[in-house]
């Protein structure tokens, strides 16, 4: 439990990287160096931001984690992933695109 930040702070635990298979917006298609630079510039605007998690869809990008950690920001990074899943076989049969999203976080 000592790894968690318990004081008043901001956390963003649902961030998609440029490597996310379902990326959208301005980050889609950026190379990883450009993405990390842009993210760090945004982070610098929020001094109370203390923790983030990259939660790409069905994918973890070790390259992005490494490049972000190499920046030595004051923001803690928790590994995560957003997994597409169906709640039942019936739901899957009814609508192949009707999946739900479950986010998992890992204790590194």
């Amino acid at each position: 439990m000592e790894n968690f930040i318990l004081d008043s702070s901001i956390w963003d635990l649902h961030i998609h990287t440029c490597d996310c298979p379902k990326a959208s917006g301005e980050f889609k298609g950026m190379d990883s160096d450009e993405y990390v630079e842009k993210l760090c510039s945004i982070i610098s605007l929020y001094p109370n931001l203390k923790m983030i998690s990259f939660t790409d869809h069905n994918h973890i990008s070790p390259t992005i984690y490494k490049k972000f950690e190499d920046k030595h920001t004051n923001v803690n990074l928790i590994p995560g992933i957003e997994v597409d899943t169906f709640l039942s076989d019936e739901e899957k049969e009814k609508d192949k695109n009707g999946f739900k999203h479950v986010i998992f976080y890992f204790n590194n």
Side-chain angles (χ1 to χ4, degrees):
M1 189 70 177
E2 66 277 354
N3 292 335
F4 284 97
I5 299 167
L6 300 175
D7 60 349
S8 179
S9 61
I10 299 171
W11 301 355
D12 187 344
L13 300 179
H14 190 174
I15 297 175
H16 295 299
T17 72
C18 59
D19 287 345
C20 182
K22 296 180 181 181
S24 61
E26 70 177 289
F27 295 122
K28 184 177 184 173
M30 277 187 182
D31 69 32
S32 56
D33 290 321
E34 183 182 12
Y35 170 80
V36 171
E37 287 296 325
K38 178 71 174 176
L39 182 63
C40 287
S41 70
I42 292 169
I43 285 172
S44 70
L45 301 174
Y46 299 92
N48 289 333
L49 180 63
K50 302 297 180 197
M51 187 167 24
I52 65 171
S53 181
F54 298 136
T55 53
D56 289 345
H57 288 262
N58 307 311
H59 175 80
I60 295 175
S61 177
T63 302
I64 300 292
Y65 280 91
K66 174 77 170 101
K67 288 182 180 189
F68 181 80
E69 288 173 348
D70 287 348
K71 291 295 182 180
H72 302 288
T73 69
N74 291 325
V75 175
N76 292 297
L77 181 60
I78 296 177
I81 188 168
E82 184 171 5
V83 177
D84 296 342
T85 188
F86 291 93
L87 298 179
S88 67
D89 289 337
E90 292 80 25
E91 287 293 318
K92 185 175 183 179
E93 291 302 317
K94 187 168 42 171
D95 182 3
K96 299 285 187 208
N97 293 317
F99 47 80
K100 307 298 183 209
H101 298 137
V102 178
I103 297 177
F104 295 90
Y105 302 102
F106 302 96
N107 181 357
N108 56 341

